[in-house]
Amino acid sequence: MQVLINISVVFITIILMECLSWFIHKHLFHGPLWFMHKSHHQKSKSFFEWNDLFAFLFAGISLYLMYIDSKNFGVKFFAGLGITLYGLIYFIIHDWFVHRRFKTFKSNNTYLNAVRKAHKIHHKNMGKKDGKAFGLLFVRKKVID
């Protein structure tokens, strides 16, 4: 039974991270943290962007949660694991597939192409205001139609 609870915590955390990421992206990244996030909306000559620092913040939170609960392997540990897995999913889909920071991942999958299209709609607006499609994994049909 505990295994099912732990797996549930991981999956619920991944879903909550997508919701939290949408909120943070819309209200913080395109708000008071725009000074860092705008690097993601501009052409860059460098592999790294200021925006990449946010990944280190979330990684730090997940590692902290796993560390403080590493003796018990309780809810905090598996929430940290869920944040880590969300970060991995985000990296693969956002950085690798959508933005092609590595040129090795292509797909004709309908869902992945919808994710790419929604994100490209988000990037059509190069500014701080009037953005659309702030999430990554949940694609609203009306955005891509």
Side-chain angles (χ1 to χ4, degrees):
M1 185 64 173
Q2 189 61 44
V3 172
L4 289 176
I5 292 171
N6 295 342
I7 291 170
S8 296
V9 169
V10 170
F11 281 112
I12 289 167
T13 302
I14 290 170
I15 291 167
L16 290 174
M17 280 302 297
E18 173 65 7
C19 298
L20 181 64
S21 294
W22 176 91
F23 181 86
I24 290 170
H25 187 187
K26 182 172 183 170
H27 297 289
L28 296 178
F29 291 3
H30 283 260
L33 297 177
W34 177 252
F35 71 97
M36 286 178 62
H37 182 64
K38 71 180 174 184
S39 68
H40 182 62
H41 284 265
Q42 300 169 337
K43 292 281 184 194
S44 176
K45 294 177 183 162
S46 172
F47 183 76
F48 292 104
E49 309 167 345
W50 280 105
N51 188 67
D52 294 334
L53 292 176
F54 294 120
F56 289 104
L57 172 68
F58 288 113
I61 292 168
S62 70
L63 289 172
Y64 174 74
L65 287 171
M66 289 189 289
Y67 175 75
I68 64 171
D69 204 15
S70 61
K71 291 183 179 155
N72 301 323
F73 292 102
V75 171
K76 291 175 191 165
F77 180 88
F78 288 99
L81 181 60
I83 295 169
T84 298
L85 290 175
Y86 178 79
L88 180 62
I89 292 165
Y90 188 92
F91 172 76
I92 291 169
I93 293 179
H94 179 265
D95 292 323
W96 201 342
F97 178 69
V98 172
H99 285 290
R100 299 191 187 272
R101 285 174 96 170
F102 305 97
K103 308 289 186 214
T104 58
F105 182 30
K106 293 182 180 181
S107 176
N108 290 323
N109 178 277
T110 303
Y111 167 73
L112 290 176
N113 286 326
V115 167
R116 178 185 284 135
K117 185 175 180 182
H119 200 72
K120 293 208 181 275
I121 288 168
H122 176 73
H123 277 271
K124 269 188 171 180
N125 177 14
M126 298 296 278
K128 180 178 176 179
K129 303 227 183 273
D130 302 322
K132 292 181 181 173
F134 290 95
L136 181 67
L137 301 178
F138 304 149
V139 179
R140 296 178 71 182
K141 187 166 173 43
K142 72 178 192 174
V143 171
I144 61 171
D145 283 339

